[in-house]
Short mmCIF file of all heavy atoms in Angstrom, two decimals:
data_model
loop_
_atom_site.label_atom_id
_atom_site.label_comp_id
_atom_site.label_asym_id
_atom_site.label_seq_id
_atom_site.Cartn_x
_atom_site.Cartn_y
_atom_site.Cartn_z
N LYS H 1 4.86 12.76 13.30
CA LYS H 1 6.24 12.76 12.81
C LYS H 1 6.40 13.56 11.52
O LYS H 1 7.42 13.46 10.88
CB LYS H 1 6.68 11.32 12.54
CG LYS H 1 6.80 10.48 13.79
CD LYS H 1 7.37 9.14 13.42
CE LYS H 1 7.53 8.26 14.63
NZ LYS H 1 8.07 6.97 14.30
N GLY H 2 5.43 14.30 11.12
CA GLY H 2 5.54 15.04 9.87
C GLY H 2 4.65 14.43 8.82
O GLY H 2 4.06 13.38 9.01
N ALA H 3 4.56 15.11 7.69
CA ALA H 3 3.62 14.73 6.65
C ALA H 3 3.98 13.41 5.96
O ALA H 3 3.10 12.72 5.49
CB ALA H 3 3.51 15.84 5.61
N CYS H 4 5.25 13.07 5.88
CA CYS H 4 5.64 11.88 5.12
C CYS H 4 6.37 10.87 6.00
O CYS H 4 7.56 10.62 5.84
CB CYS H 4 6.53 12.27 3.94
SG CYS H 4 5.64 13.20 2.69
N ASP H 5 5.66 10.27 6.92
CA ASP H 5 6.24 9.27 7.81
C ASP H 5 6.25 7.93 7.10
O ASP H 5 5.21 7.38 6.79
CB ASP H 5 5.43 9.19 9.10
CG ASP H 5 5.93 8.12 10.04
OD1 ASP H 5 7.10 7.72 9.90
OD2 ASP H 5 5.16 7.69 10.89
N MET H 6 7.43 7.38 6.83
CA MET H 6 7.55 6.12 6.10
C MET H 6 8.01 4.98 7.00
O MET H 6 8.42 3.95 6.52
CB MET H 6 8.56 6.28 4.96
CG MET H 6 8.32 7.44 4.08
SD MET H 6 7.23 7.02 2.77
CE MET H 6 7.29 8.53 1.84
N ASP H 7 7.95 5.13 8.32
CA ASP H 7 8.50 4.14 9.22
C ASP H 7 7.53 3.02 9.58
O ASP H 7 7.94 1.97 10.05
CB ASP H 7 8.98 4.80 10.52
CG ASP H 7 10.15 5.73 10.27
OD1 ASP H 7 10.89 5.50 9.30
OD2 ASP H 7 10.31 6.69 11.03
N THR H 8 6.25 3.21 9.37
CA THR H 8 5.26 2.21 9.75
C THR H 8 5.27 1.08 8.73
O THR H 8 5.18 1.33 7.53
CB THR H 8 3.86 2.83 9.81
OG1 THR H 8 3.92 3.99 10.63
CG2 THR H 8 2.85 1.86 10.34
N PRO H 9 5.37 -0.18 9.17
CA PRO H 9 5.40 -1.29 8.22
C PRO H 9 4.04 -1.51 7.55
O PRO H 9 3.00 -1.21 8.13
CB PRO H 9 5.78 -2.50 9.08
CG PRO H 9 5.40 -2.12 10.46
CD PRO H 9 5.51 -0.62 10.55
N LEU H 10 4.10 -2.03 6.33
CA LEU H 10 2.87 -2.38 5.61
C LEU H 10 2.30 -3.67 6.19
O LEU H 10 3.04 -4.49 6.73
CB LEU H 10 3.17 -2.59 4.12
CG LEU H 10 3.66 -1.38 3.36
CD1 LEU H 10 4.03 -1.78 1.94
CD2 LEU H 10 2.63 -0.28 3.34
N PRO H 11 0.99 -3.87 6.05
CA PRO H 11 0.42 -5.13 6.52
C PRO H 11 1.00 -6.32 5.76
O PRO H 11 1.37 -6.19 4.60
CB PRO H 11 -1.07 -4.99 6.24
CG PRO H 11 -1.29 -3.67 5.64
CD PRO H 11 0.02 -2.98 5.49
N VAL H 12 1.07 -7.45 6.41
CA VAL H 12 1.60 -8.65 5.78
C VAL H 12 0.57 -9.18 4.79
O VAL H 12 -0.61 -9.28 5.10
CB VAL H 12 1.91 -9.72 6.85
CG1 VAL H 12 2.36 -11.01 6.21
CG2 VAL H 12 2.93 -9.19 7.83
N MET H 13 1.03 -9.50 3.60
CA MET H 13 0.15 -10.05 2.56
C MET H 13 0.11 -11.58 2.72
O MET H 13 1.06 -12.18 3.20
CB MET H 13 0.67 -9.69 1.17
CG MET H 13 0.80 -8.20 0.93
SD MET H 13 -0.73 -7.28 1.04
CE MET H 13 -1.54 -7.84 -0.42
N HIS H 14 -0.95 -12.18 2.29
CA HIS H 14 -1.12 -13.63 2.38
C HIS H 14 0.00 -14.32 1.61
O HIS H 14 0.27 -14.01 0.46
CB HIS H 14 -2.48 -14.02 1.82
CG HIS H 14 -2.81 -15.45 2.04
ND1 HIS H 14 -2.39 -16.44 1.20
CD2 HIS H 14 -3.49 -16.06 3.03
CE1 HIS H 14 -2.82 -17.61 1.64
NE2 HIS H 14 -3.50 -17.40 2.75
N ALA H 15 0.65 -15.27 2.23
CA ALA H 15 1.82 -15.93 1.65
C ALA H 15 1.49 -16.75 0.41
O ALA H 15 2.36 -16.99 -0.42
CB ALA H 15 2.48 -16.83 2.70
N MET H 16 0.26 -17.19 0.27
CA MET H 16 -0.09 -18.05 -0.87
C MET H 16 -0.50 -17.26 -2.11
O MET H 16 -0.67 -17.83 -3.17
CB MET H 16 -1.22 -19.00 -0.47
CG MET H 16 -0.84 -19.94 0.66
SD MET H 16 0.62 -20.94 0.30
CE MET H 16 -0.08 -22.06 -0.90
N SER H 17 -0.67 -15.96 -2.00
CA SER H 17 -1.07 -15.17 -3.16
C SER H 17 0.14 -14.96 -4.08
O SER H 17 1.28 -14.99 -3.66
CB SER H 17 -1.69 -13.85 -2.74
OG SER H 17 -0.79 -13.10 -1.99
N THR H 18 -0.15 -14.71 -5.34
CA THR H 18 0.91 -14.50 -6.33
C THR H 18 1.42 -13.05 -6.23
O THR H 18 0.72 -12.18 -5.71
CB THR H 18 0.39 -14.75 -7.75
OG1 THR H 18 -0.59 -13.75 -8.06
CG2 THR H 18 -0.22 -16.14 -7.88
N PRO H 19 2.61 -12.79 -6.77
CA PRO H 19 3.10 -11.41 -6.78
C PRO H 19 2.13 -10.45 -7.47
O PRO H 19 1.92 -9.34 -7.01
CB PRO H 19 4.43 -11.50 -7.54
CG PRO H 19 4.90 -12.89 -7.27
CD PRO H 19 3.64 -13.72 -7.24
N ARG H 20 1.51 -10.89 -8.55
CA ARG H 20 0.54 -10.05 -9.26
C ARG H 20 -0.64 -9.72 -8.36
O ARG H 20 -1.10 -8.56 -8.31
CB ARG H 20 0.05 -10.72 -10.53
CG ARG H 20 -0.93 -9.85 -11.33
CD ARG H 20 -1.41 -10.54 -12.58
NE ARG H 20 -0.36 -10.63 -13.57
CZ ARG H 20 -0.13 -9.71 -14.51
NH1 ARG H 20 -0.86 -8.63 -14.55
NH2 ARG H 20 0.81 -9.88 -15.39
N GLU H 21 -1.15 -10.70 -7.62
CA GLU H 21 -2.27 -10.47 -6.72
C GLU H 21 -1.88 -9.53 -5.58
O GLU H 21 -2.64 -8.64 -5.22
CB GLU H 21 -2.79 -11.79 -6.13
CG GLU H 21 -3.47 -12.67 -7.14
CD GLU H 21 -3.74 -14.08 -6.63
OE1 GLU H 21 -3.02 -14.53 -5.70
OE2 GLU H 21 -4.67 -14.73 -7.13
N ARG H 22 -0.68 -9.72 -5.05
CA ARG H 22 -0.21 -8.83 -3.97
C ARG H 22 -0.03 -7.41 -4.49
O ARG H 22 -0.41 -6.45 -3.83
CB ARG H 22 1.09 -9.37 -3.37
CG ARG H 22 0.88 -10.65 -2.58
CD ARG H 22 2.09 -11.04 -1.76
NE ARG H 22 3.30 -11.25 -2.52
CZ ARG H 22 3.70 -12.43 -3.01
NH1 ARG H 22 2.98 -13.51 -2.81
NH2 ARG H 22 4.82 -12.52 -3.69
N SER H 23 0.54 -7.28 -5.69
CA SER H 23 0.74 -5.97 -6.29
C SER H 23 -0.60 -5.28 -6.50
O SER H 23 -0.76 -4.09 -6.18
CB SER H 23 1.49 -6.09 -7.62
OG SER H 23 1.66 -4.82 -8.21
N ARG H 24 -1.57 -6.01 -7.02
CA ARG H 24 -2.90 -5.43 -7.28
C ARG H 24 -3.56 -4.99 -5.97
O ARG H 24 -4.17 -3.91 -5.90
CB ARG H 24 -3.77 -6.45 -8.01
CG ARG H 24 -5.09 -5.90 -8.43
CD ARG H 24 -4.92 -4.82 -9.48
NE ARG H 24 -6.22 -4.27 -9.78
CZ ARG H 24 -6.43 -3.00 -10.06
NH1 ARG H 24 -5.43 -2.17 -10.13
NH2 ARG H 24 -7.64 -2.57 -10.31
N ALA H 25 -3.45 -5.80 -4.93
CA ALA H 25 -4.04 -5.45 -3.63
C ALA H 25 -3.38 -4.18 -3.07
O ALA H 25 -4.06 -3.31 -2.53
CB ALA H 25 -3.90 -6.60 -2.64
N LEU H 26 -2.07 -4.07 -3.22
CA LEU H 26 -1.36 -2.88 -2.76
C LEU H 26 -1.78 -1.64 -3.56
O LEU H 26 -1.94 -0.56 -3.00
CB LEU H 26 0.15 -3.08 -2.85
CG LEU H 26 0.74 -4.09 -1.86
CD1 LEU H 26 2.16 -4.47 -2.26
CD2 LEU H 26 0.72 -3.52 -0.45
N GLN H 27 -1.97 -1.81 -4.87
CA GLN H 27 -2.42 -0.70 -5.71
C GLN H 27 -3.80 -0.23 -5.29
O GLN H 27 -4.06 0.98 -5.22
CB GLN H 27 -2.45 -1.12 -7.18
CG GLN H 27 -1.10 -1.33 -7.79
CD GLN H 27 -1.18 -1.91 -9.18
OE1 GLN H 27 -2.15 -1.70 -9.91
NE2 GLN H 27 -0.15 -2.64 -9.58
N GLU H 28 -4.68 -1.16 -5.02
CA GLU H 28 -6.04 -0.80 -4.61
C GLU H 28 -6.01 -0.03 -3.28
O GLU H 28 -6.71 0.97 -3.13
CB GLU H 28 -6.91 -2.04 -4.49
CG GLU H 28 -7.24 -2.65 -5.83
CD GLU H 28 -7.99 -3.97 -5.74
OE1 GLU H 28 -8.37 -4.37 -4.62
OE2 GLU H 28 -8.20 -4.59 -6.79
N GLN H 29 -5.20 -0.50 -2.33
CA GLN H 29 -5.11 0.19 -1.05
C GLN H 29 -4.48 1.57 -1.23
O GLN H 29 -4.92 2.54 -0.60
CB GLN H 29 -4.31 -0.64 -0.06
CG GLN H 29 -4.26 -0.04 1.32
CD GLN H 29 -5.63 0.12 1.96
OE1 GLN H 29 -6.50 -0.72 1.79
NE2 GLN H 29 -5.81 1.19 2.71
N ALA H 30 -3.47 1.68 -2.07
CA ALA H 30 -2.84 2.98 -2.32
C ALA H 30 -3.85 3.97 -2.89
O ALA H 30 -3.88 5.14 -2.49
CB ALA H 30 -1.65 2.82 -3.28
N ALA H 31 -4.67 3.51 -3.81
CA ALA H 31 -5.67 4.39 -4.42
C ALA H 31 -6.69 4.85 -3.38
O ALA H 31 -7.09 6.03 -3.37
CB ALA H 31 -6.36 3.67 -5.57
N ILE H 32 -7.10 3.96 -2.50
CA ILE H 32 -8.03 4.33 -1.43
C ILE H 32 -7.39 5.39 -0.54
O ILE H 32 -8.03 6.40 -0.20
CB ILE H 32 -8.43 3.08 -0.61
CG1 ILE H 32 -9.32 2.17 -1.43
CG2 ILE H 32 -9.12 3.49 0.69
CD1 ILE H 32 -9.53 0.78 -0.84
N LEU H 33 -6.14 5.16 -0.16
CA LEU H 33 -5.44 6.12 0.69
C LEU H 33 -5.32 7.49 0.02
O LEU H 33 -5.49 8.52 0.67
CB LEU H 33 -4.06 5.58 1.08
CG LEU H 33 -4.09 4.41 2.05
CD1 LEU H 33 -2.74 3.71 2.08
CD2 LEU H 33 -4.49 4.89 3.44
N GLU H 34 -5.04 7.50 -1.27
CA GLU H 34 -4.97 8.77 -2.01
C GLU H 34 -6.29 9.51 -1.93
O GLU H 34 -6.33 10.71 -1.65
CB GLU H 34 -4.64 8.53 -3.48
CG GLU H 34 -3.18 8.36 -3.79
CD GLU H 34 -2.92 8.37 -5.27
OE1 GLU H 34 -3.44 9.27 -5.97
OE2 GLU H 34 -2.20 7.48 -5.74
N ARG H 35 -7.38 8.79 -2.19
CA ARG H 35 -8.71 9.42 -2.17
C ARG H 35 -9.03 9.99 -0.79
O ARG H 35 -9.74 10.99 -0.68
CB ARG H 35 -9.79 8.43 -2.60
CG ARG H 35 -9.79 8.16 -4.10
CD ARG H 35 -11.02 7.41 -4.54
NE ARG H 35 -11.08 6.07 -4.03
CZ ARG H 35 -10.53 4.99 -4.59
NH1 ARG H 35 -9.85 5.11 -5.70
NH2 ARG H 35 -10.68 3.80 -4.05
N GLU H 36 -8.52 9.36 0.26
CA GLU H 36 -8.76 9.82 1.63
C GLU H 36 -7.77 10.90 2.06
O GLU H 36 -7.86 11.42 3.16
CB GLU H 36 -8.65 8.64 2.60
CG GLU H 36 -9.74 7.61 2.43
CD GLU H 36 -9.55 6.40 3.32
OE1 GLU H 36 -8.47 6.25 3.94
OE2 GLU H 36 -10.48 5.59 3.39
N GLY H 37 -6.80 11.22 1.20
CA GLY H 37 -5.81 12.23 1.54
C GLY H 37 -4.62 11.68 2.32
O GLY H 37 -3.81 12.45 2.82
N GLY H 38 -4.50 10.37 2.40
CA GLY H 38 -3.38 9.74 3.12
C GLY H 38 -2.19 9.53 2.22
O GLY H 38 -1.73 8.40 2.03
N PHE H 39 -1.66 10.62 1.69
CA PHE H 39 -0.57 10.53 0.71
C PHE H 39 0.69 9.92 1.29
O PHE H 39 1.42 9.22 0.59
CB PHE H 39 -0.28 11.92 0.12
CG PHE H 39 -1.45 12.48 -0.64
CD1 PHE H 39 -2.21 13.50 -0.09
CD2 PHE H 39 -1.81 11.98 -1.87
CE1 PHE H 39 -3.30 14.01 -0.77
CE2 PHE H 39 -2.89 12.48 -2.56
CZ PHE H 39 -3.64 13.50 -2.00
N ASP H 40 0.96 10.18 2.57
CA ASP H 40 2.16 9.63 3.19
C ASP H 40 2.13 8.11 3.19
O ASP H 40 3.11 7.45 2.86
CB ASP H 40 2.35 10.17 4.60
CG ASP H 40 1.13 10.00 5.49
OD1 ASP H 40 0.01 9.85 4.97
OD2 ASP H 40 1.31 10.03 6.72
N GLU H 41 0.99 7.52 3.51
CA GLU H 41 0.85 6.07 3.49
C GLU H 41 0.78 5.53 2.07
O GLU H 41 1.34 4.48 1.76
CB GLU H 41 -0.41 5.64 4.24
CG GLU H 41 -0.36 5.90 5.72
CD GLU H 41 -1.66 5.49 6.38
OE1 GLU H 41 -1.86 4.27 6.54
OE2 GLU H 41 -2.45 6.39 6.70
N ALA H 42 0.11 6.27 1.18
CA ALA H 42 -0.05 5.83 -0.21
C ALA H 42 1.31 5.66 -0.90
O ALA H 42 1.49 4.74 -1.69
CB ALA H 42 -0.93 6.80 -0.98
N VAL H 43 2.27 6.54 -0.57
CA VAL H 43 3.61 6.44 -1.16
C VAL H 43 4.18 5.05 -0.93
O VAL H 43 4.68 4.40 -1.85
CB VAL H 43 4.57 7.50 -0.56
CG1 VAL H 43 6.01 7.23 -0.97
CG2 VAL H 43 4.16 8.90 -0.97
N ARG H 44 4.09 4.59 0.31
CA ARG H 44 4.67 3.29 0.66
C ARG H 44 3.97 2.15 -0.07
O ARG H 44 4.62 1.20 -0.51
CB ARG H 44 4.60 3.10 2.17
CG ARG H 44 5.46 4.12 2.89
CD ARG H 44 5.46 4.04 4.40
NE ARG H 44 5.02 2.81 5.01
CZ ARG H 44 3.79 2.61 5.54
NH1 ARG H 44 2.91 3.57 5.51
NH2 ARG H 44 3.49 1.47 6.09
N TYR H 45 2.66 2.24 -0.21
CA TYR H 45 1.92 1.20 -0.91
C TYR H 45 2.27 1.19 -2.39
O TYR H 45 2.43 0.13 -2.99
CB TYR H 45 0.42 1.38 -0.70
CG TYR H 45 -0.06 0.82 0.61
CD1 TYR H 45 0.02 1.56 1.79
CD2 TYR H 45 -0.58 -0.47 0.68
CE1 TYR H 45 -0.40 1.04 3.00
CE2 TYR H 45 -1.01 -0.99 1.88
CZ TYR H 45 -0.92 -0.24 3.04
OH TYR H 45 -1.34 -0.76 4.23
N TRP H 46 2.37 2.38 -3.01
CA TRP H 46 2.75 2.43 -4.43
C TRP H 46 4.16 1.88 -4.63
O TRP H 46 4.41 1.14 -5.59
CB TRP H 46 2.67 3.86 -4.96
CG TRP H 46 1.27 4.33 -5.22
CD1 TRP H 46 0.66 5.41 -4.65
CD2 TRP H 46 0.31 3.76 -6.11
NE1 TRP H 46 -0.61 5.53 -5.13
CE2 TRP H 46 -0.86 4.54 -6.04
CE3 TRP H 46 0.32 2.66 -6.97
CZ2 TRP H 46 -2.00 4.25 -6.78
CZ3 TRP H 46 -0.82 2.38 -7.71
CH2 TRP H 46 -1.96 3.16 -7.62
N GLN H 47 5.08 2.21 -3.74
CA GLN H 47 6.45 1.71 -3.87
C GLN H 47 6.50 0.19 -3.73
O GLN H 47 7.17 -0.49 -4.51
CB GLN H 47 7.35 2.37 -2.83
CG GLN H 47 7.62 3.83 -3.12
CD GLN H 47 8.34 4.54 -2.00
OE1 GLN H 47 8.30 4.12 -0.84
NE2 GLN H 47 8.98 5.65 -2.32
N ALA H 48 5.79 -0.34 -2.75
CA ALA H 48 5.77 -1.79 -2.55
C ALA H 48 5.14 -2.49 -3.74
O ALA H 48 5.60 -3.54 -4.19
CB ALA H 48 5.01 -2.14 -1.27
#
């Protein structure tokens, strides 16, 4: 669908975790995606 496909939903985070924990987990995943060159997916994780 092109380089910046933003339609795929993010994985569901555990309901019992705090917003800070969820934010940190999303940041870690975004950084991994960046290192792998998955910038289209990383955008969504950074925004979330």
Side-chain angles (χ1 to χ4, degrees):
K1 293 185 180 180
C4 292
D5 177 21
M6 308 272 185
D7 294 333
T8 308
L10 296 175
V12 176
M13 302 298 290
H14 188 275
M16 298 303 288
S17 59
T18 66
R20 181 180 289 270
E21 291 169 336
R22 291 191 301 268
S23 179
R24 186 66 184 145
L26 290 166
Q27 290 173 29
E28 289 174 6
Q29 185 61 36
I32 290 168
L33 289 164
E34 277 190 47
R35 286 192 293 274
E36 293 176 349
F39 298 105
D40 53 338
E41 292 178 76
V43 169
R44 295 179 19 259
Y45 279 84
W46 284 121
Q47 289 171 337

